[in-house]
Amino acid sequence: MKIVTKDERENWIINIENTASTISSQVGSAVVDGVFQRYGVEDLNPCDLPDVFSELYAIEADLR
């Protein structure tokens, strides 16, 4: 398991928030909520942040 530094964690969260905002504005929050539910955002393991971002980024890329 890779250790995520505080700065890395903050960067992942910023990227996730920005991508989630873009998706929500285009198709609504249900899509983003579905991704968050799969990963259990309330108890999200910091090691899962790259996976959450990757999934959201792929959705955003499909919207272009």
Side-chain angles (χ1 to χ4, degrees), residues 2 4 8-9 11-13 15-16 39 44-58:
K2 181 185 185 290
V4 178
E8 288 173 323
R9 183 180 181 278
N11 285 334
W12 282 120
I13 290 171
N15 289 330
I16 288 167
Y39 287 94
L44 183 64
N45 185 327
C47 293
D48 289 332
L49 291 170
D51 294 332
V52 172
F53 174 73
S54 292
E55 190 167 339
L56 290 172
Y57 186 78

PDB file of all heavy atoms in Angstrom, residues 2 4 8-9 11-13 15-16 39 44-58:
ATOM      1  N   LYS A   2       0.631   2.139  -0.939  1.00  0.00           N
ATOM      2  CA  LYS A   2       1.409   3.372  -1.054  1.00  0.00           C
ATOM      3  C   LYS A   2       0.926   4.382  -0.020  1.00  0.00           C
ATOM      4  O   LYS A   2      -0.259   4.585   0.166  1.00  0.00           O
ATOM      5  CB  LYS A   2       1.256   3.955  -2.458  1.00  0.00           C
ATOM      6  CG  LYS A   2       2.058   5.224  -2.661  1.00  0.00           C
ATOM      7  CD  LYS A   2       1.778   5.812  -4.034  1.00  0.00           C
ATOM      8  CE  LYS A   2       2.630   6.999  -4.341  1.00  0.00           C
ATOM      9  NZ  LYS A   2       2.352   8.189  -3.594  1.00  0.00           N
ATOM     10  N   VAL A   4       0.201   8.034   1.075  1.00  0.00           N
ATOM     11  CA  VAL A   4      -0.143   9.283   0.396  1.00  0.00           C
ATOM     12  C   VAL A   4       0.209  10.436   1.335  1.00  0.00           C
ATOM     13  O   VAL A   4      -0.245  10.475   2.480  1.00  0.00           O
ATOM     14  CB  VAL A   4      -1.644   9.323   0.047  1.00  0.00           C
ATOM     15  CG1 VAL A   4      -2.018  10.625  -0.618  1.00  0.00           C
ATOM     16  CG2 VAL A   4      -2.009   8.142  -0.845  1.00  0.00           C
ATOM     17  N   GLU A   8      -0.146  15.369  -1.498  1.00  0.00           N
ATOM     18  CA  GLU A   8      -0.727  14.532  -2.544  1.00  0.00           C
ATOM     19  C   GLU A   8      -2.230  14.376  -2.326  1.00  0.00           C
ATOM     20  O   GLU A   8      -3.011  14.476  -3.271  1.00  0.00           O
ATOM     21  CB  GLU A   8      -0.079  13.148  -2.564  1.00  0.00           C
ATOM     22  CG  GLU A   8       1.327  13.121  -3.089  1.00  0.00           C
ATOM     23  CD  GLU A   8       1.975  11.762  -2.937  1.00  0.00           C
ATOM     24  OE1 GLU A   8       1.731  11.068  -1.922  1.00  0.00           O
ATOM     25  OE2 GLU A   8       2.741  11.397  -3.847  1.00  0.00           O
ATOM     26  N   ARG A   9      -2.602  14.126  -1.079  1.00  0.00           N
ATOM     27  CA  ARG A   9      -4.025  13.961  -0.738  1.00  0.00           C
ATOM     28  C   ARG A   9      -4.795  15.219  -1.103  1.00  0.00           C
ATOM     29  O   ARG A   9      -5.852  15.149  -1.724  1.00  0.00           O
ATOM     30  CB  ARG A   9      -4.164  13.650   0.755  1.00  0.00           C
ATOM     31  CG  ARG A   9      -5.583  13.402   1.187  1.00  0.00           C
ATOM     32  CD  ARG A   9      -5.632  13.104   2.700  1.00  0.00           C
ATOM     33  NE  ARG A   9      -6.972  12.842   3.140  1.00  0.00           N
ATOM     34  CZ  ARG A   9      -7.872  13.785   3.424  1.00  0.00           C
ATOM     35  NH1 ARG A   9      -7.543  15.046   3.316  1.00  0.00           N
ATOM     36  NH2 ARG A   9      -9.084  13.466   3.807  1.00  0.00           N
ATOM     37  N   ASN A  11      -4.020  17.516  -3.289  1.00  0.00           N
ATOM     38  CA  ASN A  11      -4.079  17.659  -4.751  1.00  0.00           C
ATOM     39  C   ASN A  11      -5.124  16.730  -5.365  1.00  0.00           C
ATOM     40  O   ASN A  11      -5.865  17.130  -6.270  1.00  0.00           O
ATOM     41  CB  ASN A  11      -2.705  17.400  -5.374  1.00  0.00           C
ATOM     42  CG  ASN A  11      -1.751  18.543  -5.156  1.00  0.00           C
ATOM     43  OD1 ASN A  11      -2.155  19.691  -4.989  1.00  0.00           O
ATOM     44  ND2 ASN A  11      -0.465  18.239  -5.149  1.00  0.00           N
ATOM     45  N   TRP A  12      -5.167  15.484  -4.896  1.00  0.00           N
ATOM     46  CA  TRP A  12      -6.179  14.550  -5.404  1.00  0.00           C
ATOM     47  C   TRP A  12      -7.582  15.073  -5.113  1.00  0.00           C
ATOM     48  O   TRP A  12      -8.461  15.027  -5.975  1.00  0.00           O
ATOM     49  CB  TRP A  12      -6.017  13.156  -4.796  1.00  0.00           C
ATOM     50  CG  TRP A  12      -4.904  12.344  -5.395  1.00  0.00           C
ATOM     51  CD1 TRP A  12      -3.821  11.842  -4.752  1.00  0.00           C
ATOM     52  CD2 TRP A  12      -4.762  11.944  -6.763  1.00  0.00           C
ATOM     53  NE1 TRP A  12      -3.020  11.164  -5.634  1.00  0.00           N
ATOM     54  CE2 TRP A  12      -3.569  11.207  -6.876  1.00  0.00           C
ATOM     55  CE3 TRP A  12      -5.533  12.143  -7.915  1.00  0.00           C
ATOM     56  CZ2 TRP A  12      -3.134  10.658  -8.075  1.00  0.00           C
ATOM     57  CZ3 TRP A  12      -5.092  11.601  -9.115  1.00  0.00           C
ATOM     58  CH2 TRP A  12      -3.908  10.871  -9.182  1.00  0.00           C
ATOM     59  N   ILE A  13      -7.789  15.569  -3.905  1.00  0.00           N
ATOM     60  CA  ILE A  13      -9.119  16.065  -3.530  1.00  0.00           C
ATOM     61  C   ILE A  13      -9.512  17.268  -4.390  1.00  0.00           C
ATOM     62  O   ILE A  13     -10.649  17.341  -4.868  1.00  0.00           O
ATOM     63  CB  ILE A  13      -9.168  16.392  -2.022  1.00  0.00           C
ATOM     64  CG1 ILE A  13      -9.114  15.078  -1.232  1.00  0.00           C
ATOM     65  CG2 ILE A  13     -10.420  17.194  -1.670  1.00  0.00           C
ATOM     66  CD1 ILE A  13      -8.938  15.253   0.261  1.00  0.00           C
ATOM     67  N   ASN A  15      -8.471  17.925  -7.440  1.00  0.00           N
ATOM     68  CA  ASN A  15      -8.750  17.405  -8.779  1.00  0.00           C
ATOM     69  C   ASN A  15     -10.099  16.695  -8.835  1.00  0.00           C
ATOM     70  O   ASN A  15     -10.856  16.842  -9.798  1.00  0.00           O
ATOM     71  CB  ASN A  15      -7.636  16.474  -9.236  1.00  0.00           C
ATOM     72  CG  ASN A  15      -6.357  17.202  -9.547  1.00  0.00           C
ATOM     73  OD1 ASN A  15      -6.377  18.365  -9.960  1.00  0.00           O
ATOM     74  ND2 ASN A  15      -5.234  16.555  -9.338  1.00  0.00           N
ATOM     75  N   ILE A  16     -10.403  15.920  -7.807  1.00  0.00           N
ATOM     76  CA  ILE A  16     -11.685  15.214  -7.740  1.00  0.00           C
ATOM     77  C   ILE A  16     -12.827  16.219  -7.672  1.00  0.00           C
ATOM     78  O   ILE A  16     -13.823  16.087  -8.389  1.00  0.00           O
ATOM     79  CB  ILE A  16     -11.708  14.243  -6.545  1.00  0.00           C
ATOM     80  CG1 ILE A  16     -10.803  13.043  -6.840  1.00  0.00           C
ATOM     81  CG2 ILE A  16     -13.135  13.779  -6.233  1.00  0.00           C
ATOM     82  CD1 ILE A  16     -10.502  12.167  -5.640  1.00  0.00           C
ATOM     83  N   TYR A  39     -17.053   3.965  -3.720  1.00  0.00           N
ATOM     84  CA  TYR A  39     -15.812   4.020  -2.951  1.00  0.00           C
ATOM     85  C   TYR A  39     -16.041   4.344  -1.477  1.00  0.00           C
ATOM     86  O   TYR A  39     -15.080   4.384  -0.713  1.00  0.00           O
ATOM     87  CB  TYR A  39     -14.858   5.058  -3.562  1.00  0.00           C
ATOM     88  CG  TYR A  39     -14.257   4.572  -4.852  1.00  0.00           C
ATOM     89  CD1 TYR A  39     -14.831   4.898  -6.071  1.00  0.00           C
ATOM     90  CD2 TYR A  39     -13.128   3.773  -4.852  1.00  0.00           C
ATOM     91  CE1 TYR A  39     -14.288   4.447  -7.258  1.00  0.00           C
ATOM     92  CE2 TYR A  39     -12.567   3.315  -6.033  1.00  0.00           C
ATOM     93  CZ  TYR A  39     -13.160   3.654  -7.229  1.00  0.00           C
ATOM     94  OH  TYR A  39     -12.616   3.207  -8.402  1.00  0.00           O
ATOM     95  N   LEU A  44     -13.393   7.014   2.887  1.00  0.00           N
ATOM     96  CA  LEU A  44     -12.502   6.769   1.754  1.00  0.00           C
ATOM     97  C   LEU A  44     -11.061   6.595   2.218  1.00  0.00           C
ATOM     98  O   LEU A  44     -10.532   7.403   2.970  1.00  0.00           O
ATOM     99  CB  LEU A  44     -12.586   7.934   0.770  1.00  0.00           C
ATOM    100  CG  LEU A  44     -11.775   7.806  -0.506  1.00  0.00           C
ATOM    101  CD1 LEU A  44     -12.286   6.622  -1.338  1.00  0.00           C
ATOM    102  CD2 LEU A  44     -11.886   9.077  -1.320  1.00  0.00           C
ATOM    103  N   ASN A  45     -10.477   5.532   1.749  1.00  0.00           N
ATOM    104  CA  ASN A  45      -9.061   5.289   1.997  1.00  0.00           C
ATOM    105  C   ASN A  45      -8.272   6.233   1.088  1.00  0.00           C
ATOM    106  O   ASN A  45      -8.523   6.278  -0.115  1.00  0.00           O
ATOM    107  CB  ASN A  45      -8.738   3.832   1.671  1.00  0.00           C
ATOM    108  CG  ASN A  45      -7.318   3.465   2.005  1.00  0.00           C
ATOM    109  OD1 ASN A  45      -6.404   4.268   1.904  1.00  0.00           O
ATOM    110  ND2 ASN A  45      -7.138   2.223   2.404  1.00  0.00           N
ATOM    111  N   PRO A  46      -7.317   6.987   1.618  1.00  0.00           N
ATOM    112  CA  PRO A  46      -6.540   7.905   0.779  1.00  0.00           C
ATOM    113  C   PRO A  46      -5.885   7.223  -0.419  1.00  0.00           C
ATOM    114  O   PRO A  46      -5.678   7.849  -1.451  1.00  0.00           O
ATOM    115  CB  PRO A  46      -5.486   8.465   1.741  1.00  0.00           C
ATOM    116  CG  PRO A  46      -6.114   8.363   3.082  1.00  0.00           C
ATOM    117  CD  PRO A  46      -6.950   7.102   3.035  1.00  0.00           C
ATOM    118  N   CYS A  47      -5.600   5.950  -0.309  1.00  0.00           N
ATOM    119  CA  CYS A  47      -5.011   5.216  -1.429  1.00  0.00           C
ATOM    120  C   CYS A  47      -5.991   5.055  -2.595  1.00  0.00           C
ATOM    121  O   CYS A  47      -5.580   4.757  -3.713  1.00  0.00           O
ATOM    122  CB  CYS A  47      -4.523   3.852  -0.973  1.00  0.00           C
ATOM    123  SG  CYS A  47      -3.133   3.959   0.167  1.00  0.00           S
ATOM    124  N   ASP A  48      -7.289   5.235  -2.328  1.00  0.00           N
ATOM    125  CA  ASP A  48      -8.304   5.124  -3.377  1.00  0.00           C
ATOM    126  C   ASP A  48      -8.518   6.427  -4.141  1.00  0.00           C
ATOM    127  O   ASP A  48      -9.219   6.442  -5.153  1.00  0.00           O
ATOM    128  CB  ASP A  48      -9.642   4.676  -2.789  1.00  0.00           C
ATOM    129  CG  ASP A  48      -9.627   3.233  -2.342  1.00  0.00           C
ATOM    130  OD1 ASP A  48      -8.850   2.435  -2.913  1.00  0.00           O
ATOM    131  OD2 ASP A  48     -10.389   2.894  -1.420  1.00  0.00           O
ATOM    132  N   LEU A  49      -7.923   7.523  -3.683  1.00  0.00           N
ATOM    133  CA  LEU A  49      -8.129   8.814  -4.340  1.00  0.00           C
ATOM    134  C   LEU A  49      -7.762   8.788  -5.828  1.00  0.00           C
ATOM    135  O   LEU A  49      -8.532   9.291  -6.649  1.00  0.00           O
ATOM    136  CB  LEU A  49      -7.365   9.922  -3.609  1.00  0.00           C
ATOM    137  CG  LEU A  49      -7.907  10.284  -2.228  1.00  0.00           C
ATOM    138  CD1 LEU A  49      -6.935  11.213  -1.510  1.00  0.00           C
ATOM    139  CD2 LEU A  49      -9.284  10.921  -2.335  1.00  0.00           C
ATOM    140  N   PRO A  50      -6.627   8.185  -6.223  1.00  0.00           N
ATOM    141  CA  PRO A  50      -6.314   8.130  -7.657  1.00  0.00           C
ATOM    142  C   PRO A  50      -7.370   7.362  -8.461  1.00  0.00           C
ATOM    143  O   PRO A  50      -7.692   7.739  -9.592  1.00  0.00           O
ATOM    144  CB  PRO A  50      -4.961   7.428  -7.718  1.00  0.00           C
ATOM    145  CG  PRO A  50      -4.359   7.634  -6.370  1.00  0.00           C
ATOM    146  CD  PRO A  50      -5.526   7.663  -5.413  1.00  0.00           C
ATOM    147  N   ASP A  51      -7.921   6.309  -7.874  1.00  0.00           N
ATOM    148  CA  ASP A  51      -8.941   5.523  -8.569  1.00  0.00           C
ATOM    149  C   ASP A  51     -10.237   6.319  -8.734  1.00  0.00           C
ATOM    150  O   ASP A  51     -10.873   6.262  -9.786  1.00  0.00           O
ATOM    151  CB  ASP A  51      -9.226   4.221  -7.823  1.00  0.00           C
ATOM    152  CG  ASP A  51      -8.032   3.286  -7.821  1.00  0.00           C
ATOM    153  OD1 ASP A  51      -7.210   3.341  -8.766  1.00  0.00           O
ATOM    154  OD2 ASP A  51      -7.906   2.504  -6.866  1.00  0.00           O
ATOM    155  N   VAL A  52     -10.622   7.042  -7.685  1.00  0.00           N
ATOM    156  CA  VAL A  52     -11.823   7.883  -7.769  1.00  0.00           C
ATOM    157  C   VAL A  52     -11.623   8.936  -8.846  1.00  0.00           C
ATOM    158  O   VAL A  52     -12.486   9.142  -9.699  1.00  0.00           O
ATOM    159  CB  VAL A  52     -12.136   8.549  -6.408  1.00  0.00           C
ATOM    160  CG1 VAL A  52     -13.263   9.567  -6.540  1.00  0.00           C
ATOM    161  CG2 VAL A  52     -12.480   7.503  -5.368  1.00  0.00           C
ATOM    162  N   PHE A  53     -10.466   9.589  -8.835  1.00  0.00           N
ATOM    163  CA  PHE A  53     -10.197  10.604  -9.848  1.00  0.00           C
ATOM    164  C   PHE A  53     -10.205   9.996 -11.244  1.00  0.00           C
ATOM    165  O   PHE A  53     -10.799  10.569 -12.164  1.00  0.00           O
ATOM    166  CB  PHE A  53      -8.861  11.312  -9.594  1.00  0.00           C
ATOM    167  CG  PHE A  53      -8.510  12.257 -10.704  1.00  0.00           C
ATOM    168  CD1 PHE A  53      -9.188  13.454 -10.845  1.00  0.00           C
ATOM    169  CD2 PHE A  53      -7.534  11.935 -11.630  1.00  0.00           C
ATOM    170  CE1 PHE A  53      -8.897  14.319 -11.896  1.00  0.00           C
ATOM    171  CE2 PHE A  53      -7.226  12.787 -12.672  1.00  0.00           C
ATOM    172  CZ  PHE A  53      -7.912  13.988 -12.799  1.00  0.00           C
ATOM    173  N   SER A  54      -9.569   8.862 -11.417  1.00  0.00           N
ATOM    174  CA  SER A  54      -9.507   8.227 -12.742  1.00  0.00           C
ATOM    175  C   SER A  54     -10.897   7.919 -13.282  1.00  0.00           C
ATOM    176  O   SER A  54     -11.178   8.146 -14.465  1.00  0.00           O
ATOM    177  CB  SER A  54      -8.688   6.935 -12.683  1.00  0.00           C
ATOM    178  OG  SER A  54      -7.345   7.228 -12.439  1.00  0.00           O
ATOM    179  N   GLU A  55     -11.749   7.411 -12.420  1.00  0.00           N
ATOM    180  CA  GLU A  55     -13.108   7.092 -12.857  1.00  0.00           C
ATOM    181  C   GLU A  55     -13.877   8.356 -13.241  1.00  0.00           C
ATOM    182  O   GLU A  55     -14.537   8.414 -14.278  1.00  0.00           O
ATOM    183  CB  GLU A  55     -13.849   6.320 -11.775  1.00  0.00           C
ATOM    184  CG  GLU A  55     -15.163   5.766 -12.256  1.00  0.00           C
ATOM    185  CD  GLU A  55     -15.767   4.741 -11.310  1.00  0.00           C
ATOM    186  OE1 GLU A  55     -15.057   4.143 -10.497  1.00  0.00           O
ATOM    187  OE2 GLU A  55     -16.991   4.539 -11.430  1.00  0.00           O
ATOM    188  N   LEU A  56     -13.769   9.384 -12.408  1.00  0.00           N
ATOM    189  CA  LEU A  56     -14.452  10.648 -12.716  1.00  0.00           C
ATOM    190  C   LEU A  56     -13.865  11.293 -13.972  1.00  0.00           C
ATOM    191  O   LEU A  56     -14.603  11.816 -14.809  1.00  0.00           O
ATOM    192  CB  LEU A  56     -14.352  11.613 -11.535  1.00  0.00           C
ATOM    193  CG  LEU A  56     -15.161  11.232 -10.305  1.00  0.00           C
ATOM    194  CD1 LEU A  56     -14.813  12.160  -9.142  1.00  0.00           C
ATOM    195  CD2 LEU A  56     -16.654  11.268 -10.587  1.00  0.00           C
ATOM    196  N   TYR A  57     -12.558  11.246 -14.110  1.00  0.00           N
ATOM    197  CA  TYR A  57     -11.916  11.843 -15.281  1.00  0.00           C
ATOM    198  C   TYR A  57     -12.362  11.144 -16.571  1.00  0.00           C
ATOM    199  O   TYR A  57     -12.588  11.801 -17.585  1.00  0.00           O
ATOM    200  CB  TYR A  57     -10.397  11.790 -15.139  1.00  0.00           C
ATOM    201  CG  TYR A  57      -9.688  12.514 -16.254  1.00  0.00           C
ATOM    202  CD1 TYR A  57      -9.599  13.901 -16.256  1.00  0.00           C
ATOM    203  CD2 TYR A  57      -9.122  11.822 -17.310  1.00  0.00           C
ATOM    204  CE1 TYR A  57      -8.964  14.576 -17.278  1.00  0.00           C
ATOM    205  CE2 TYR A  57      -8.487  12.484 -18.339  1.00  0.00           C
ATOM    206  CZ  TYR A  57      -8.404  13.863 -18.317  1.00  0.00           C
ATOM    207  OH  TYR A  57      -7.786  14.526 -19.336  1.00  0.00           O
ATOM    208  N   ALA A  58     -12.502   9.838 -16.517  1.00  0.00           N
ATOM    209  CA  ALA A  58     -12.969   9.093 -17.696  1.00  0.00           C
ATOM    210  C   ALA A  58     -14.394   9.512 -18.061  1.00  0.00           C
ATOM    211  O   ALA A  58     -14.701   9.667 -19.254  1.00  0.00           O
ATOM    212  CB  ALA A  58     -12.910   7.592 -17.427  1.00  0.00           C
TER     213      ALA A  58
END
